[in-house]
Protein backbone atom coordinates (compact mmCIF):
# COMPACT_ATOMS: atom_id res chain seq x y z
CA UNK A 1 0.00 0.00 0.00
CA UNK A 2 1.13 3.61 -0.44
CA UNK A 3 1.04 4.19 3.32
CA UNK A 4 3.43 1.27 3.91
CA UNK A 5 5.84 2.53 1.25
CA UNK A 6 5.89 5.99 2.83
CA UNK A 7 6.46 4.53 6.29
CA UNK A 8 9.17 2.20 4.97
CA UNK A 9 10.96 5.21 3.46
CA UNK A 10 10.94 7.07 6.78
CA UNK A 11 12.16 3.99 8.65
CA UNK A 12 15.00 3.57 6.15
CA UNK A 13 16.01 7.23 6.49
CA UNK A 14 15.88 7.07 10.30
CA UNK A 15 17.84 3.80 10.35
CA UNK A 16 20.53 5.18 8.05
CA UNK A 17 20.73 8.38 10.09
CA UNK A 18 21.14 6.43 13.30
CA UNK A 19 23.66 4.02 11.79
CA UNK A 20 25.86 6.91 10.66
CA UNK A 21 25.36 9.37 13.51
CA UNK A 22 26.28 7.02 16.38
CA UNK A 23 29.77 6.08 15.11
CA UNK A 24 30.60 9.62 14.09
CA UNK A 25 29.22 10.98 17.36
CA UNK A 26 31.67 8.75 19.22
CA UNK A 27 34.43 9.81 16.82
CA UNK A 28 33.65 13.46 17.55
CA UNK A 29 33.90 12.83 21.29
CA UNK A 30 37.24 11.06 20.88
CA UNK A 31 38.70 13.78 18.67
CA UNK A 32 37.47 16.57 20.95
CA UNK A 33 38.43 15.13 24.35
CA UNK A 34 41.17 12.54 23.76
CA UNK A 35 44.01 14.99 24.40
CA UNK A 36 42.57 15.74 27.86
CA UNK A 37 42.59 12.05 28.71
CA UNK A 38 46.14 11.61 27.44
CA UNK A 39 47.25 14.53 29.60
CA UNK A 40 45.90 12.78 32.69
CA UNK A 41 42.34 14.00 33.18
CA UNK A 42 40.84 11.10 35.18
CA UNK A 43 37.24 11.97 34.36
CA UNK A 44 37.88 11.87 30.59
CA UNK A 45 39.97 8.71 30.96
CA UNK A 46 37.18 6.98 32.84
CA UNK A 47 34.51 8.02 30.35
CA UNK A 48 36.25 7.77 26.99
CA UNK A 49 39.47 5.79 27.24
CA UNK A 50 37.72 2.60 26.09
CA UNK A 51 37.16 4.36 22.75
CA UNK A 52 40.66 5.67 22.05
CA UNK A 53 42.93 3.34 24.03
CA UNK A 54 42.78 0.39 21.56
CA UNK A 55 43.99 2.58 18.68
CA UNK A 56 47.40 4.07 18.06
CA UNK A 57 47.56 7.84 17.94
CA UNK A 58 46.48 9.07 14.53
CA UNK A 59 44.34 6.01 13.79
CA UNK A 60 41.27 6.98 15.81
CA UNK A 61 39.35 7.32 12.53
CA UNK A 62 39.25 3.52 12.39
CA UNK A 63 36.70 3.39 15.22
CA UNK A 64 33.68 4.72 13.23
CA UNK A 65 34.67 2.58 10.25
CA UNK A 66 34.70 -0.52 12.44
CA UNK A 67 31.38 0.43 14.10
CA UNK A 68 29.69 0.87 10.71
CA UNK A 69 31.10 -2.47 9.56
CA UNK A 70 29.71 -4.21 12.64
CA UNK A 71 26.30 -2.54 12.25
CA UNK A 72 26.11 -3.53 8.60
CA UNK A 73 27.05 -7.12 9.33
CA UNK A 74 24.60 -7.51 12.20
CA UNK A 75 21.70 -5.69 10.54
CA UNK A 76 22.18 -7.41 7.19
CA UNK A 77 21.21 -10.73 8.76
CA UNK A 78 17.65 -9.48 9.24
CA UNK A 79 17.35 -8.50 5.59
CA UNK A 80 19.01 -11.61 4.18
CA UNK A 81 16.91 -14.18 6.03
CA UNK A 82 13.73 -15.02 4.18
CA UNK A 83 11.29 -17.07 6.21
Amino acid sequence: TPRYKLDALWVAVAGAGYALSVPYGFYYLVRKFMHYGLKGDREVQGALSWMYAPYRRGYEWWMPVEMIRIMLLTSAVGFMIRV
Side-chain angles (χ1 to χ4, degrees), residues 23 25-28 30 50-52 55 59-68:
F26 283 143
Y27 179 69
Y28 169 77
V30 167
W50 65 272
M51 285 194 275
Y52 64 79
Y55 304 102
Y59 290 95
E60 302 87 21
W61 58 269
W62 190 251
M63 181 187 56
V65 173
E66 186 66 17
M67 289 179 74
I68 290 172

Short mmCIF file of all heavy atoms in Angstrom, two decimals, residues 23 25-28 30 50-52 55 59-68:
data_model
loop_
_atom_site.label_atom_id
_atom_site.label_comp_id
_atom_site.label_asym_id
_atom_site.label_seq_id
_atom_site.Cartn_x
_atom_site.Cartn_y
_atom_site.Cartn_z
N PRO A 23 28.31 6.20 15.21
CA PRO A 23 29.77 6.08 15.11
C PRO A 23 30.49 7.43 15.01
O PRO A 23 31.52 7.65 15.64
CB PRO A 23 29.99 5.27 13.84
CG PRO A 23 28.73 4.54 13.62
CD PRO A 23 27.66 5.41 14.17
N GLY A 25 29.35 10.28 16.08
CA GLY A 25 29.22 10.98 17.36
C GLY A 25 30.31 10.54 18.33
O GLY A 25 30.92 11.37 19.01
N PHE A 26 30.57 9.24 18.38
CA PHE A 26 31.67 8.75 19.22
C PHE A 26 33.01 9.27 18.71
O PHE A 26 33.88 9.64 19.49
CB PHE A 26 31.69 7.23 19.25
CG PHE A 26 30.64 6.63 20.15
CD1 PHE A 26 30.00 5.46 19.78
CD2 PHE A 26 30.31 7.21 21.35
CE1 PHE A 26 29.04 4.90 20.59
CE2 PHE A 26 29.36 6.65 22.17
CZ PHE A 26 28.71 5.50 21.80
N TYR A 27 33.19 9.30 17.40
CA TYR A 27 34.43 9.81 16.82
C TYR A 27 34.63 11.28 17.19
O TYR A 27 35.74 11.69 17.53
CB TYR A 27 34.40 9.63 15.30
CG TYR A 27 35.62 10.15 14.61
CD1 TYR A 27 36.85 9.52 14.77
CD2 TYR A 27 35.56 11.27 13.80
CE1 TYR A 27 37.98 10.00 14.14
CE2 TYR A 27 36.68 11.75 13.16
CZ TYR A 27 37.89 11.11 13.33
OH TYR A 27 39.01 11.58 12.70
N TYR A 28 33.57 12.06 17.15
CA TYR A 28 33.65 13.46 17.55
C TYR A 28 34.10 13.59 19.01
O TYR A 28 34.96 14.41 19.32
CB TYR A 28 32.30 14.14 17.34
CG TYR A 28 32.21 15.50 17.97
CD1 TYR A 28 32.82 16.59 17.37
CD2 TYR A 28 31.54 15.69 19.16
CE1 TYR A 28 32.76 17.84 17.94
CE2 TYR A 28 31.47 16.94 19.75
CZ TYR A 28 32.08 18.02 19.14
OH TYR A 28 32.02 19.25 19.72
N VAL A 30 35.84 11.46 20.77
CA VAL A 30 37.24 11.06 20.88
C VAL A 30 38.14 12.18 20.39
O VAL A 30 39.12 12.54 21.04
CB VAL A 30 37.49 9.75 20.11
CG1 VAL A 30 38.97 9.49 19.95
CG2 VAL A 30 36.84 8.60 20.84
N TRP A 50 38.05 3.85 26.78
CA TRP A 50 37.72 2.60 26.09
C TRP A 50 37.56 2.82 24.60
O TRP A 50 37.67 1.88 23.81
CB TRP A 50 36.45 1.98 26.67
CG TRP A 50 35.22 2.81 26.47
CD1 TRP A 50 34.75 3.79 27.29
CD2 TRP A 50 34.29 2.72 25.39
NE1 TRP A 50 33.60 4.32 26.78
CE2 TRP A 50 33.30 3.68 25.61
CE3 TRP A 50 34.21 1.92 24.26
CZ2 TRP A 50 32.24 3.88 24.75
CZ3 TRP A 50 33.15 2.12 23.39
CH2 TRP A 50 32.18 3.08 23.64
N MET A 51 37.32 4.09 24.18
CA MET A 51 37.16 4.36 22.75
C MET A 51 38.48 4.65 22.05
O MET A 51 38.65 4.32 20.90
CB MET A 51 36.21 5.55 22.54
CG MET A 51 34.77 5.19 22.77
SD MET A 51 33.65 6.44 22.15
CE MET A 51 33.59 7.56 23.52
N TYR A 52 39.42 5.31 22.73
CA TYR A 52 40.66 5.67 22.05
C TYR A 52 41.85 4.83 22.46
O TYR A 52 42.85 4.79 21.74
CB TYR A 52 40.98 7.16 22.21
CG TYR A 52 41.25 7.63 23.62
CD1 TYR A 52 42.47 7.41 24.23
CD2 TYR A 52 40.28 8.32 24.33
CE1 TYR A 52 42.71 7.85 25.52
CE2 TYR A 52 40.52 8.76 25.61
CZ TYR A 52 41.74 8.53 26.19
OH TYR A 52 41.98 8.97 27.45
N TYR A 55 43.44 2.11 19.94
CA TYR A 55 43.99 2.58 18.68
C TYR A 55 45.25 3.41 18.90
O TYR A 55 45.33 4.19 19.84
CB TYR A 55 42.96 3.42 17.92
CG TYR A 55 41.68 2.68 17.70
CD1 TYR A 55 40.56 2.91 18.49
CD2 TYR A 55 41.59 1.72 16.70
CE1 TYR A 55 39.40 2.20 18.29
CE2 TYR A 55 40.44 1.00 16.50
CZ TYR A 55 39.34 1.25 17.29
OH TYR A 55 38.19 0.55 17.11
N TYR A 59 45.21 7.02 14.43
CA TYR A 59 44.34 6.01 13.79
C TYR A 59 42.98 5.93 14.47
O TYR A 59 42.30 4.92 14.36
CB TYR A 59 45.02 4.65 13.80
CG TYR A 59 46.19 4.59 12.87
CD1 TYR A 59 47.47 4.82 13.33
CD2 TYR A 59 46.01 4.32 11.53
CE1 TYR A 59 48.56 4.79 12.48
CE2 TYR A 59 47.09 4.28 10.66
CZ TYR A 59 48.36 4.52 11.14
OH TYR A 59 49.41 4.49 10.29
N GLU A 60 42.57 6.99 15.14
CA GLU A 60 41.27 6.98 15.81
C GLU A 60 40.13 6.94 14.80
O GLU A 60 39.01 6.56 15.13
CB GLU A 60 41.09 8.23 16.68
CG GLU A 60 42.13 8.41 17.74
CD GLU A 60 43.36 9.15 17.23
OE1 GLU A 60 43.28 9.85 16.21
OE2 GLU A 60 44.40 9.00 17.86
N TRP A 61 40.38 7.32 13.57
CA TRP A 61 39.35 7.32 12.53
C TRP A 61 38.86 5.90 12.24
O TRP A 61 37.79 5.72 11.66
CB TRP A 61 39.88 7.95 11.24
CG TRP A 61 41.10 7.27 10.72
CD1 TRP A 61 42.40 7.58 11.01
CD2 TRP A 61 41.15 6.14 9.86
NE1 TRP A 61 43.25 6.72 10.37
CE2 TRP A 61 42.51 5.82 9.65
CE3 TRP A 61 40.19 5.37 9.22
CZ2 TRP A 61 42.91 4.77 8.85
CZ3 TRP A 61 40.60 4.32 8.42
CH2 TRP A 61 41.95 4.03 8.23
N TRP A 62 39.63 4.89 12.66
CA TRP A 62 39.25 3.52 12.39
C TRP A 62 38.03 3.11 13.21
O TRP A 62 37.28 2.23 12.81
CB TRP A 62 40.43 2.59 12.67
CG TRP A 62 40.21 1.21 12.19
CD1 TRP A 62 40.00 0.11 12.97
CD2 TRP A 62 40.13 0.74 10.84
NE1 TRP A 62 39.81 -1.00 12.20
CE2 TRP A 62 39.89 -0.63 10.87
CE3 TRP A 62 40.23 1.37 9.61
CZ2 TRP A 62 39.74 -1.40 9.73
CZ3 TRP A 62 40.10 0.60 8.47
CH2 TRP A 62 39.86 -0.76 8.55
N MET A 63 37.81 3.75 14.35
CA MET A 63 36.70 3.39 15.22
C MET A 63 35.34 3.52 14.52
O MET A 63 34.56 2.57 14.51
CB MET A 63 36.70 4.21 16.50
CG MET A 63 35.58 3.83 17.43
SD MET A 63 35.38 4.88 18.86
CE MET A 63 35.18 6.47 18.13
N PRO A 64 34.99 4.67 13.89
CA PRO A 64 33.68 4.72 13.23
C PRO A 64 33.58 3.76 12.04
O PRO A 64 32.50 3.23 11.77
CB PRO A 64 33.54 6.17 12.78
CG PRO A 64 34.89 6.76 12.86
CD PRO A 64 35.65 5.96 13.86
N VAL A 65 34.68 3.53 11.36
CA VAL A 65 34.67 2.58 10.25
C VAL A 65 34.33 1.18 10.76
O VAL A 65 33.50 0.47 10.19
CB VAL A 65 36.02 2.58 9.51
CG1 VAL A 65 36.10 1.48 8.48
CG2 VAL A 65 36.29 3.93 8.88
N GLU A 66 34.95 0.80 11.85
CA GLU A 66 34.70 -0.52 12.44
C GLU A 66 33.27 -0.62 12.97
O GLU A 66 32.61 -1.65 12.83
CB GLU A 66 35.71 -0.78 13.56
CG GLU A 66 35.64 -2.15 14.16
CD GLU A 66 36.03 -3.25 13.19
OE1 GLU A 66 36.66 -2.96 12.14
OE2 GLU A 66 35.69 -4.41 13.46
N MET A 67 32.75 0.45 13.58
CA MET A 67 31.38 0.43 14.10
C MET A 67 30.37 0.29 12.96
O MET A 67 29.39 -0.45 13.08
CB MET A 67 31.10 1.69 14.91
CG MET A 67 31.84 1.71 16.24
SD MET A 67 31.53 3.21 17.17
CE MET A 67 29.86 2.90 17.72
N ILE A 68 30.60 0.99 11.85
CA ILE A 68 29.69 0.87 10.71
C ILE A 68 29.76 -0.53 10.13
O ILE A 68 28.73 -1.12 9.77
CB ILE A 68 30.02 1.94 9.65
CG1 ILE A 68 29.61 3.31 10.18
CG2 ILE A 68 29.31 1.65 8.34
CD1 ILE A 68 30.05 4.46 9.32
#
